[in-house]
Amino acid sequence: MTDTMKAMVVERLGPPDVMELRDVPVPTPGPGEVRIEVEAVGINFADVLAVAGEYLTRTKVPYTPGMEFAGIVESLGDGVTGVQVGQRVAALGGSGALARYSVVNAAGLIPVPQSLSGAQAAAFPVSYFTAYHGLKTLGRGVAGEWVLVQAAAGALGTASIQLAKALDMKVIAMASTEEKLSIARDLGADVTLLQDDEERVQKVRDAAGGQGVPLILEVVGGKRFQESLDMAAGQGRIIVIGNASREQANLRPVELMKRNLSVTGLWLTSLMSDRAATAEAAQILSQLVGSGQVTPQVGPTYALADSARAFQDILNRKTTGKVIIEPQR
Ligand code: NDP
């Protein structure tokens, strides 16, 4: 083991190219922590926002981005039990994964079926737990019900389609290109629609039996949020998960009254502290992944030195599935 390693470092917030490849000390696991040789980092829209300083929480610099990853446990800090050196794990830390090694609290480790590759394991936690909470915990979706999935070919979108179909729900998928819609159809989406289709509001309402959609996973925000209100069925549930447009949305609560709509926010980070909800999601997801009913969708894969390009490709809407960075190459 050498003393230094390659890592991406952010010293000032801004566009993706503020990230720099540096040599930094290999971190040492403290009590309760493990050091992991990082195989694959799943890049989320949240990582892009964090580097830009536009995330829900303040980004403190300097820092190494990367909140979701998978790798092989390489050494254990004092007092760690239940984890073996050599085991493949996925992990959710706040940051620090865009590096050859990363240290996380053992409590943040997520056991993954050993059938998953490192890249598949890194594509799993954020998107699938979020999709589960959107569809079930907060969305209260039931078999046979329609759900609208936006940005359907993205990391969360592909997870949401797969999971909704595994739960016997019916999916309307929206995305910006025909190629993306074809990915959604391959995953089982029942109806697909271009995001810029001029008649999209009416078409979505018609697709869901003319009454509108009972459940919407809203990730675009801005003026699209208003459209979600128009697409929703009476008593519809709109789960606000993201704001990829980075535009502000207007909500006049009185508009919700007319059709008894509800709008619920979802942030995975804070939901993780709900032990019962997390345990339920973990149990169902590991069963579905283990049986092959859902498979994390690995998207384009980049070397560590190309991290800025990976982030920029997400911003430019060029990617599908989960963008992966492999720090060992
Ligand atoms: P994706 O892989 O889905 O990439 C983002 C996608 O957003 C793009 O591919 C694009 O799809 C769509 N998009 C729509 N409008 C824009 C825009 N103006 N600029 C860029 N992209 C746009 O990313 P993630 O799966 O990581 O995240 C998807 C959304 O879910 C994000 O808003 C993210 O913040 C949110 N999220 C929230 C979580 C939470 O805990 N609340 C957890 C996980 C994700 P298209 O071209 O088809 O429109």
Side-chain angles (χ1 to χ4, degrees):
M1 166 70 61
T2 55
D3 292 343
T4 61
M5 64 174 187
K6 297 284 181 202
M8 297 306 296
V9 176
V10 172
E11 285 202 341
R12 63 181 175 86
L13 302 177
D17 61 9
V18 297
M19 286 190 282
E20 286 178 17
L21 186 65
R22 296 263 181 89
D23 287 309
V24 303
V26 173
T28 305
E33 294 180 333
V34 297
R35 183 165 61 207
I36 297 169
E37 186 176 345
V38 182
E39 292 181 294
V41 185
I43 306 301
N44 293 286
F45 203 78
D47 290 298
V48 180
L49 294 177
V51 169
E54 294 179 19
Y55 193 47
L56 286 177
T57 50
R58 199 165 71 84
T59 312
K60 292 188 195 129
V61 289
Y63 90 115
T64 289
M67 57 181 72
E68 173 181 47
F69 67 100
I72 306 296
V73 175
E74 186 265 341
S75 67
L76 308 178
D78 288 343
V80 174
T81 55
V83 188
Q84 278 93 47
V85 168
Q87 187 183 348
R88 174 175 285 141
V89 290
L92 274 182
S95 59
L98 281 177
R100 296 255 159 99
Y101 295 90
S102 191
V103 163
V104 290
N105 197 300
L109 295 179
I110 297 167
V112 287
Q114 297 300 301
S115 58
L116 294 187
S117 68
Q120 287 173 324
F124 170 64
V126 169
S127 301
Y128 284 82
F129 275 81
T130 303
Y132 184 84
H133 291 313
L135 290 166
K136 294 297 290 182
T137 315
L138 300 176
R140 306 187 313 279
V142 294
E145 206 172 34
W146 284 98
V147 56
L148 174 64
V149 175
Q150 299 173 332
L156 178 62
T158 52
S160 301
I161 295 172
Q162 284 191 336
L163 204 48
K165 294 314 295 177
L167 298 168
D168 286 328
M169 298 180 72
K170 293 183 285 190
V171 175
I172 303 171
M174 292 184 89
S176 60
T177 67
E178 285 293 351
E179 186 205 347
K180 290 182 175 184
L181 294 185
S182 150
I183 290 170
R185 278 191 294 275
D186 288 346
L187 292 172
D190 300 274
V191 174
T192 56
L193 200 58
L194 284 172
Q195 172 171 300
D196 286 331
D197 188 305
E198 285 183 2
E199 293 165 32
R200 56 190 175 271
V201 172
Q202 194 55 45
K203 283 185 178 171
V204 166
R205 292 188 67 81
D206 290 347
Q211 307 301 312
V213 197
L215 178 60
I216 298 178
L217 305 185
E218 163 63 57
V219 302
V220 180
K223 58 183 182 300
R224 300 288 176 159
F225 174 77
Q226 179 62 49
E227 290 183 4
S228 288
L229 298 180
D230 297 338
M231 290 170 180
Q235 297 188 36
R237 292 102 61 205
I238 298 159
I239 312 298
V240 175
I241 305 179
N243 190 44
S245 67
R246 298 157 101 181
E247 292 169 3
Q248 287 303 316
N250 288 322
L251 172 62
R252 292 188 310 122
V254 73
E255 284 181 63
L256 305 178
M257 289 165 56
K258 278 188 277 182
R259 286 183 299 121
N260 305 292
L261 302 178
S262 52
V263 176
T264 305
L266 187 170
W267 188 34
L268 181 64
T269 304
S270 56
L271 257 181
M272 293 295 278
S273 60
D274 181 333
R275 283 165 180 255
T278 301
E280 178 186 301
Q283 194 225 328
I284 291 171
L285 288 173
S286 63
Q287 190 191 323
L288 290 174
V289 175
S291 67
Q293 267 182 285
V294 306
T295 309
Q297 299 296 295
V298 173
T301 302
Y302 304 78
L304 186 63
D306 294 329
S307 296
R309 188 159 59 84
F311 279 45
Q312 192 59 53
D313 286 348
I314 293 177
L315 267 179
N316 292 347
R317 303 164 80 161
K318 282 188 184 166
T319 65
T320 60
K322 177 81 76 172
V323 170
I324 297 291
I325 292 176
E326 294 177 337
Q328 305 301 328
R329 67 181 180 103

